[in-house]
Amino acid sequence: MTPTRYCRFLHEGRAHPGRIEGQEVVVLTASPWAGGKETGLRRSLSSLTLLVPSEASKVVCIGQNYRKHAEEMGKPVPSEPLLFIKPSTALNGPRSPIRLPKASQEVHYEAELGLVIGERLKNADEATAARAIWGLTCINDVTARDIQRREVQHTRAKSYDTFACVGPWAVTGLSPADLRILCRVNGQVRQDSRTSDMVFNPAQLVSFISHIMTLLPGDLVSTGTPSGVGALAAGDMVEVELEGIGTLANPVEMEP
C-alpha cells in the first residue's frame, strides 16, 4: 500500500479533514476513517493552518517503552505496558506554541510515534489491534518533569494545556515496526532512535489498552519515548521527526 497523508486544517473558523496530494489538500466530507468522500474542493497546503490530525477523545500514553529511556529515568523496564492518559484539552497542533506553566521549572520534550485508531475497539487480540491502527503520526509528549518527580503520578505533569503536540498529519500505509525517530531543539539532535527498540510493539500496546478501556475512532496512542529527553526553554523551537511521516515543529513560550 502506498503511504498517504491526511490532515485536519482550519478554514473560515471551522476544522476540515483532507487528503494531501503534493502541495495541495483535497477537502473531504468527514474523517477518512469514517468514510469521508472528496468534496471537489482543493486548498494550497502552504496556505493552511494545520490542526491535530484527529479529534481524539483521549491520548493514551505509554511510559518507559524504550529500555535506554527507562535507564535514564532510573526506572525498571516494565513487565507490562505502563499507561497514563493525556486529556483532549492538552492537544496542540503543528506550529502552535507549547506554553511553559509557571508551576514548573523543568519542562521536557519527549519524541514519540503516535498511532491513530480507526475503529471502536474493545478486548482485541493483537491481529485485530494491528488492523485498527488506521495511521501514524508524530507526538511530542511534553512533560513537567519536576512535578512528575515530586508526585510520582503522571496526571498533572503530563496534562497541561498544549502538552500533547500532534501532527503535522497522519500517514496510512506505513509500517510502524522500524522507523527512525528524532527530536531536535533549535536544530540540534537530542533524541535519535528507532521504533524497533520499543519494549512493546504497537499491536501489543493497542491490544493491551483495549482490554482496559474502549478505544474510539480518532483516539491517539503515544507509544513511548527513547532516551535523550531534556529541558525546554522559552524561545526554543522543538521538532519531532519520524521517518516516512514528517516533522512536527512547535515553538516554546511562557504561559501568559
Side-chain angles (χ1 to χ4, degrees), residues 223-242:
T223 56
T225 196
S227 61
V229 299
L232 292 169
D236 284 346
M237 175 64 75
V238 57
E239 297 173 301
V240 173
E241 180 180 348
L242 272 125

Side-chain angles (χ1 to χ4, degrees), residues 106-120:
E106 189 183 357
V107 173
H108 282 199
Y109 55 82
E110 292 190 7
E112 309 201 4
L113 169 67
L115 314 176
V116 183
I117 303 302
E119 59 188 74
R120 186 182 180 92

Side-chain angles (χ1 to χ4, degrees), residues 184-252:
R184 291 184 291 269
V185 179
N186 303 326
Q188 296 185 335
V189 174
R190 301 290 180 85
Q191 293 179 282
D192 188 354
S193 187
R194 302 197 70 85
T195 58
S196 54
D197 290 334
M198 288 183 188
V199 178
F200 303 101
N201 67 43
Q204 290 172 320
L205 295 173
V206 172
S207 173
F208 181 83
I209 294 164
S210 77
H211 283 81
I212 301 162
M213 67 191 79
T214 300
L215 287 166
L216 302 176
D219 279 354
L220 293 162
V221 175
S222 198
T223 56
T225 196
S227 61
V229 299
L232 292 169
D236 284 346
M237 175 64 75
V238 57
E239 297 173 301
V240 173
E241 180 180 348
L242 272 125
E243 179 183 0
I245 300 174
T247 301
L248 167 68
N250 296 92
V252 182

Side-chain angles (χ1 to χ4, degrees), residues 5-63:
R5 295 179 295 166
Y6 293 88
C7 67
R8 287 175 65 245
F9 63 91
L10 190 65
H11 181 68
E12 295 181 347
R14 293 180 55 204
H16 301 267
R19 184 181 70 252
I20 300 172
E21 291 186 0
Q23 296 304 308
E24 291 189 318
V25 173
V26 179
V27 182
L28 303 177
T29 58
S31 299
W33 54 83
K37 306 297 184 184
E38 295 185 15
T39 63
L41 299 174
R42 289 175 175 259
R43 309 285 183 209
S44 169
L45 178 60
S46 62
S47 70
L48 299 177
T49 298
L50 295 179
L51 306 172
V52 173
S54 73
E55 293 185 272
S57 74
K58 54 188 172 293
V59 185
V60 186
C61 303
I62 314 300

